[in-house]
Amino acid sequence: MHIAITGAAGFLGQRLVHQLLDRGALDGTAIRRLTLIDQAEPPAIEREGVEIRCLALDISSPGALDPVLDARPDVIYHLAAVVSSAAEADLDLGMRVNFDATRALLEGCRAQGLSATRLVMASSVAAYGGDLPEVLDDMTALHPQNSYGAQKAMSELLVNDYSRRGLVDGLVLRLPTIVIRPGRPNAAASSFASSILREPLNGEEAICPVPTDLDLFVMSPARVVEALIHGAEVPGEALGPFRAFMLPGITVSVAEMLEALHEVAGEEALARVRHEPDARIAAIVGSWPARFTNERARRLGFHGDKNFREIVEAFLDERA
Amino acid sequence: MHIAITGAAGFLGQRLVHQLLDRGALDGTAIRRLTLIDQAEPPAIEREGVEIRCLALDISSPGALDPVLDARPDVIYHLAAVVSSAAEADLDLGMRVNFDATRALLEGCRAQGLSATRLVMASSVAAYGGDLPEVLDDMTALHPQNSYGAQKAMSELLVNDYSRRGLVDGLVLRLPTIVIRPGRPNAAASSFASSILREPLNGEEAICPVPTDLDLFVMSPARVVEALIHGAEVPGEALGPFRAFMLPGITVSVAEMLEALHEVAGEEALARVRHEPDARIAAIVGSWPARFTNERARRLGFHGDKNFREIVEAFLDERA
């Protein structure tokens, strides 16, 4: 089993690499080879019996992935992306990384005849937008209101069409807001969703810029990585006529998130969250859908977190 | 008012050109200039007071449209496309004409600062597919099951995103099956929908390859051209958060189509239709949605045909 991963140096990529190596097998077959790709060389890692190569590549240049695809990987995880704020600030950069690179990857698979290679791409809840219903289902249209979401939606269509034509065996998973991300607050509108838990749990102050009755659709990093792994194992013939769908996150209000913080870490932790409303952030985050039926994902065996408290406890366990 | 039209030599393009010249104005402003573009030079046409240029251009080559966009047209109709059967037979050709050309056009508008130019693009009912509900609405997802539909759906996302960013003032109209097309039967799966009326009305035999209880979603050529013209006149601020939607066709069964033929042209005409079931054509056409609420299109003032008999009578009037 040879697995190639783009965006392998990122937060999800690194978690996926470690999880794959810990499992040792994918779809019942021992992992013998990992090719880790990012714009800067991913951190070196060693594991007995596994040939691991770390490559710095600009995957948006046509042909850049040829040496990787030439080795005919069995599974490709396509996680490389420019995030929403950067794609909004620079249309050309977003188109190049979020769309052209996907197209180049698909063309590479086609050229190499990788019709049996499972391609698992990450898309996002940001692909939804516009006049959305209260509860979204698998037939809700993608009307993205940001360039990142548009580029992801276009890539989904391309992965689906190349798969339908038998040129690759693709699958796109739309990710909920990932909570609790490690690291520091950043410029993303969703940054607070991790920050209001992570910082207080680390004994630091955090700012909550949104009303506490705001609902979010969230998934823990561990469940996202589980879904990526399941995405490589679910049979292509079970996927139905469109190979992109939303993963089953859980709907949680900011108040419920803070209540879980309270339960797990006490009054003192909760008091570290300052409420400073920011209309701009509230408007952006408030436009994201928070309720999905997730019928297709559930039927295919993808699972969400049980409840929000479990997400907080898992973060503490991992930190310990 | 300067109007540029890609695909101007095609059936719809030619009807649009003549309709625009007959009206003499668009959005209340006299038409002073028409730029007609196709891969082969569109037929020459003259009208007093209107500067008409006919150009043979491969609009999928980057920069090919620069001389046209340099003249800052007020309205661009983007009708050029490779049809579904050709796009299915040749993925590269379809991607180049149906997607890359749209992207090049949008990039040209961006480079020229044509933020106020209304771009009206034609998309298609073929962009829908998969596990569709009985009645589709403006929030039904596009899960195309053919490369033509995928390329159109990707182009829609791009037009929407460039419009949202204020780089152009775009609008995409998804066209129903157009009935009655002029000319001869062709290889398109939908060819019969015009053929079973046109040929008998012309005293010729025709073959009906589908069950008569099959429903189609259809629009007459005259109403499509009206919609294209209205598409240049509807204000951008009225379009809402996604600038692509289905035009209001009418739902009609093949039996109703044949009944209209009977009423208008008698038993003799009806007897010219031979029923020779073709499972392949029935499967393709049967997968196309036939019922839409068309709320957004109606709210924006787009109109469908009144009934099917009117479509047949209009064809006879035009032929006379």
Side-chain angles (χ1 to χ4, degrees), chain A residues 1 23-31 233:
Chain A
M1 171 70 64
R23 286 170 55 111
L26 191 62
D27 206 11
T29 306
I31 297 167
E233 298 182 328

Side-chain angles (χ1 to χ4, degrees), chain A residues 42-307:
Chain A
I45 179 168
E46 295 193 1
R47 192 66 56 106
E48 203 179 313
V50 186
E51 183 194 332
I52 306 177
R53 280 200 309 161
C54 294
L55 302 173
L57 287 178
D58 174 6
I59 60 167
S60 63
S61 349
L65 279 171
D66 283 356
V68 176
L69 301 177
D70 201 41
R72 307 184 70 80
D74 303 290
V75 173
I76 301 170
Y77 284 104
H78 180 38
L79 307 180
V82 160
V83 298
S84 58
S85 51
E88 200 60 25
D90 187 339
L91 176 59
D92 297 317
L93 176 68
M95 283 297 291
R96 191 158 58 76
V97 177
N98 295 338
F99 178 72
D100 291 329
T102 306
R103 185 173 176 182
L105 173 56
L106 289 167
E107 277 296 297
C109 290
R110 178 189 182 194
Q112 290 291 336
L114 302 185
S115 58
T117 291
R118 168 58 52 89
L119 169 66
V120 182
M121 189 185 99
S123 182
S124 166
V125 67
Y128 292 97
D131 299 324
L132 290 168
E134 186 62 29
V135 180
L136 284 69
D137 63 29
D138 291 320
M139 283 309 291
T140 304
L142 299 187
H143 291 173
Q145 300 302 307
N146 58 86
S147 292
Y148 172 76
Q151 291 148 10
K152 284 292 184 186
M154 289 163 55
S155 297
E156 288 188 6
L157 286 158
L158 214 49
V159 169
N160 190 64
D161 201 45
Y162 276 61
S163 299
R164 187 189 59 79
R165 295 182 75 111
L167 303 172
V168 72
D169 183 13
L171 170 60
V172 184
L173 304 174
R174 296 180 195 135
L175 308 188
T177 296
I178 301 178
V179 173
I180 302 171
R181 281 181 175 271
R184 306 296 307 164
N186 62 31
S190 61
S191 178
F192 80 89
S194 288
S195 192
I196 59 171
L197 303 155
R198 183 186 57 221
E199 269 65 276
L201 290 170
N202 288 335
E204 297 171 27
E205 287 219 330
I207 290 167
C208 179
V210 299
T212 55
D213 63 353
L214 180 82
D215 285 327
L216 293 171
F217 195 66
V218 303
M219 198 175 213
S220 66
R223 285 281 184 266
V224 170
V225 169
E226 260 180 39
L228 290 172
I229 288 174
H230 186 60
E233 298 182 328
V234 67
E237 56 273 21
L239 293 175
F242 198 70
R243 287 164 171 251
F245 48 85
M246 190 71 204
L247 285 180
I250 55 173
T251 305
V252 62
S253 69
V254 171
E256 288 165 335
M257 293 170 72
L258 294 174
E259 181 51 32
L261 173 66
H262 187 191
E263 284 174 24
V264 169
E267 192 69 45
E268 197 187 356
L270 186 63
R272 295 194 188 104
V273 180
R274 282 209 323 271
H275 292 268
E276 292 184 8
D278 181 323
R280 192 188 63 84
I281 291 178
I284 296 174
V285 181
S287 76
W288 297 348
R291 290 174 199 279
F292 292 82
T293 61
N294 295 117
E295 282 169 38
R296 197 132 64 93
R298 291 184 199 285
R299 200 171 59 234
L300 291 168
F302 291 89
H303 301 293
D305 298 277
K306 286 206 187 64
N307 55 58

